């Protein structure tokens, strides 16, 4: 139902998420933002069960901020990803597991850009491109075919547009618009929202 | 409830005698309301109660021991809940809606409480004022909604007493959402829409602005990009969803209501148009949905506070609508006859 996608380039990460907040068959909101800013250069995209997403994401967000306040420097994306994974794993075998699927994207000043895929069973994988949701079945092969590690920003946005075109063509659910953001050494930039045009 | 907390009654021996259930051990599910950050006047309550997240007095029913069993069971799957067997099937039949327009926030709801196929009560109040500028529409289980509205009212009032300013609508929604979170996976079913007007800027402590500034400032309030002051509409649900928006409809009749609202809702509606749109949406939903009906309640919240319209019986509206249709058919027949005879 929900869709997340991330594409890593040589010095940036491009991420996009759909904007629908649904409750059974009804779209309750069509401008809902599923990205949570963990720090100046780390974004977490979170989908899954209704309350769990916001609760878990805000918990991680506040903890990352707390780390910065206590220690004076920010967590790197790799550290934040592992911290998130550890929390998810701890809750997994408790009475209240969080059913959330995440993409964590960030830019580290020493290591460069990073994209981390995490699912509700708290498996963590660093990947050059990743997607969550039913839409992933349709778009991962497009990413496999056209991805190159040296994509420019325009090429990455084109690749993203190709994926969204495919969704609009073959996915039975209507996902009218997508929030797109780009992270590079300057921070997080909002790009133009991608809409399906036919409204 | 509020007085009890503020006076520290819960620490006294008398309270322990009256409510012995609240002091049984279960630290894993212990839950603190906002009381716990009182400055050192009372000890940290490290124990919860009985396995239930709030201080409920447990009745001595044959099935109530199931709550205790939760502790020693090997982990059941999170969404599997042990409950008391219900005397009759509950149903979540209702139509409630709320939307923001240039003149404030409209909240409307039907008044039928259904239990399975039975109309348990035809004249329920589904819209409850919490304070002068906040009104809550409820759907889901009636008992749960009533309780959680009261809990919300209590916590908002306590906040106001402690911090000498009123909690913003977004803050109230977040508070409610966090209070409902421990009950996720249980059979608590509450879907509230908070419709209100923020008089103060959300984050700053100061601010006594004149009320004129926001009645003229339509452009600033135009979109749901949430400026701090002005009309607010937030949907909070026991699943944990918390959504701020411009229009929400909740309940079994909500798809029908959306059908009417989505076509005609605009920011620039006048007050009368908005009221009649809300009435129409609820009417159409109650017509099609078996679990909604009887009357319609309508509230309008503006910078000056909430005001309630007289409750209207939709049966009358139905007959009026039938008459209007019959008249239109007559008109059209007459006109085509005139055309044909030319």
């Amino acid at each position: 139902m929900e869709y997340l996608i991330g594409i890593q380039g040589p010095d940036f990460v491009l991420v996009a998420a759909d904007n629908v907040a649904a409750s059974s068959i009804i779209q309750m909101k069509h401008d809902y933002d599923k990205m949570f800013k963990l720090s100046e250069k780390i974004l977490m995209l979170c989908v899954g069960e209704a309350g769990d997403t916001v609760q878990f994401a805000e918990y991680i967000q506040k903890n990352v901020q707390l780390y910065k306040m206590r220690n004076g420097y920010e967590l790197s994306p790799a550290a934040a990803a592992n911290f998130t994974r550890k929390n998810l794993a701890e809750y997994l075998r408790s009475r209240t597991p969080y059913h959330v699927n995440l993409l964590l994207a960030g830019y580290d000043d020493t290591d460069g850009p990073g994209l981390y895929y995490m699912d509700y069973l708290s498996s963590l994988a660093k990947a050059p491109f990743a997607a969550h949701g039913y839409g992933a079945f349709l778009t991962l092969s497009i990413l496999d075919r056209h991805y190159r590690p040296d994509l420019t920003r325009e090429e990455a946005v084109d690749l993203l547009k190709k994926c969204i075109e495919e969704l609009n063509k073959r996915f039975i659910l209507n996902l009218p618009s997508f929030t797109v953001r780009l992270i590079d050494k300057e921070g997080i930039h909002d790009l133009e929202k991608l809409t399906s045009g036919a409204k | 409830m509020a007085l009890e907390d503020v006076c520290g009654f819960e620490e006294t021996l008398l309270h322990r005698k009256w409510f012995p259930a609240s002091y049984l051990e279960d630290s894993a599910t212990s839950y603190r309301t906002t009381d716990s950050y009182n400055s050192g006047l009372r000890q940290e309550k490290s124990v919860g109660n009985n396995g239930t997240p709030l201080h409920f007095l447990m009745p001595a029913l044959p099935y109530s021991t199931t709550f205790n069993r939760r502790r020693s069971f090997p982990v059941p799957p999170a969404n599997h809940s042990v409950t008391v067997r219900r005397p009759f099937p509950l149903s979540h039949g209702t139509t409630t809606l709320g939307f923001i327009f240039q003149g404030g926030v409209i909240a409307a709801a039907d008044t039928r409480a259904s239990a399975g196929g039975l109309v348990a009560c035809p004249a329920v109040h589904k819209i409850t004022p919490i304070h002068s500028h906040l009104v809550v529409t409820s759907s889901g289980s009636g008992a749960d909604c009533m309780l959680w509205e009261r809990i919300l009212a209590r916590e908002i009032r306590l906040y106001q007493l402690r911090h000498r300013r009123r909690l913003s609508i977004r803050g109230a929604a977040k508070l409610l959402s966090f209070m409902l979170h421990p009950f996720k996976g249980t059979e608590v079913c509450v879907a509230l829409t908070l419709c209100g007007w923020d008089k103060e800027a959300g984050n700053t402590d100061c601010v006594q602005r004149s009320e004129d500034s926001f009645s003229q400032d339509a452009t600033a309030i135009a979109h749901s990009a949430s400026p701090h002051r002005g009309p607010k509409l937030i949907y909070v649900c026991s699943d944990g969803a918390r959504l701020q928006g411009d229009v929400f409809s909740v309940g079994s009749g909500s798809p029908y209501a959306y059908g009417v609202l989505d076509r005609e809702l605009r920011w620039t509606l006048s007050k009368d148009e908005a009221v009649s749109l809300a009435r129409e949406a609820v009417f159409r939903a109650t017509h099609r949905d078996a679990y909604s009906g009887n009357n319609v309640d309508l509230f309008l919240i503006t910078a000056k506070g909430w005001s309630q319209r007289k409750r209207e019986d939709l049966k009358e509206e139905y007959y009026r609508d039938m008459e209007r249709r019959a008249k239109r058919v007559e008109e059209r027949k007459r006109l085509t006859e005139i055309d044909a005879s030319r």
Side-chain angles (χ1 to χ4, degrees), chain B residues 279-290:
Chain B
R279 268 179 76 245
E280 184 73 15
V282 175
F283 169 58
R284 298 289 166 199
T286 57
H287 180 56
R288 282 290 177 182
D289 181 28

Side-chain angles (χ1 to χ4, degrees), chain B residues 226-282:
Chain B
S226 77
H228 290 300
R229 244 171 289 119
K232 287 277 181 350
L233 187 64
I234 309 184
Y235 167 69
V236 180
C237 155
S238 51
D239 294 339
R242 183 172 25 103
L243 300 170
Q244 181 174 346
D246 290 332
V247 53
F248 284 113
S249 175
V250 187
S252 55
S254 68
Y256 308 111
Y258 271 123
V260 174
L261 280 178
D262 282 335
R263 278 200 62 94
E264 292 169 45
L265 183 62
R266 281 177 323 277
W267 173 261
T268 53
L269 289 173
S270 73
K271 173 173 160 285
D272 290 329
E273 285 171 346
V275 164
S276 90
L277 176 60
R279 268 179 76 245
E280 184 73 15
V282 175

Side-chain angles (χ1 to χ4, degrees), chain A residues 29 49 51-52 55 58 97, chain B residues 174 178 181 184 239-240 244:
Chain A
K29 249 179 100 87
E49 210 177 307
D52 287 354
Q55 289 280 65
E58 286 192 349
Chain B
K174 202 157 191 178
F178 278 39
H181 185 69
K184 195 171 149 89
D239 294 339
Q244 181 174 346

Side-chain angles (χ1 to χ4, degrees), chain B residues 45-85:
Chain B
K45 270 194 249 169
S46 59
V47 299
N49 39 24
N50 249 0
T52 51
L54 270 190
H55 293 156
F56 288 118
L57 182 58
M58 298 302 298
L61 288 179
Y63 295 107
S64 63
T65 51
T66 53
F67 275 127
N68 286 328
R69 260 200 274 143
R70 272 183 126 180
R71 258 181 296 145
S72 46
F73 258 177
V75 185
N79 286 332
H80 175 66
S81 47
V82 283
T83 50
V84 180
R85 203 178 300 153

Side-chain angles (χ1 to χ4, degrees), chain A residues 39-113:
Chain A
S39 78
E40 289 309 311
K41 298 189 190 167
I42 308 182
L43 262 186
M44 182 160 79
L45 288 72
C46 193
V47 290
E49 210 177 307
D52 287 354
T53 49
V54 176
Q55 289 280 65
F56 185 72
E58 286 192 349
Y59 175 69
I60 300 293
Q61 199 179 37
K62 303 309 171 200
N63 270 291
V64 170
Q65 296 295 318
L66 182 62
Y67 186 94
K68 180 179 175 188
M69 278 185 238
R70 280 192 177 139
N71 301 295
Y73 61 91
E74 291 187 337
L75 273 175
S76 67
N82 278 290
F83 171 70
T84 309
R85 190 213 66 80
K86 175 119 201 307
N87 268 290
L88 207 49
E90 269 169 11
Y91 279 105
L92 185 61
R93 289 186 189 274
S94 72
R95 251 174 294 160
T96 56
Y98 285 107
H99 192 140
V100 291
N101 293 315
L102 311 169
L103 280 184
L104 206 132
Y107 188 90
D108 192 10
D109 290 322
T110 40
D111 296 329

Side-chain angles (χ1 to χ4, degrees), chain A residues 158-198:
Chain A
D158 280 334
L159 184 50
L160 178 63
K161 282 190 183 151
K162 275 204 194 80
C163 292
I164 292 180
E165 261 169 41
E166 180 63 18
L167 283 185
N168 288 329
K169 186 156 185 245
R170 288 288 181 187
F171 192 37
I172 47 165
L173 296 185
N174 181 33
L175 294 173
S177 75
F178 294 82
T179 312
V180 185
R181 292 205 166 102
L182 185 113
I183 311 178
D184 62 8
K185 71 175 186 331
E186 249 96 78
I188 302 175
H189 312 279
D190 282 349
L191 298 182
E192 207 184 298
K193 252 193 199 179
L194 290 176
T195 53
S196 69

Side-chain angles (χ1 to χ4, degrees), chain B residues 102-103 197 210-218 221 303-304:
Chain B
Q102 55 80 17
W197 189 289
S210 74
E211 294 198 353
D212 306 319
S213 58
F214 20 94
S215 51
Q216 287 144 20
D217 202 7
I221 309 170
K304 297 194 178 65

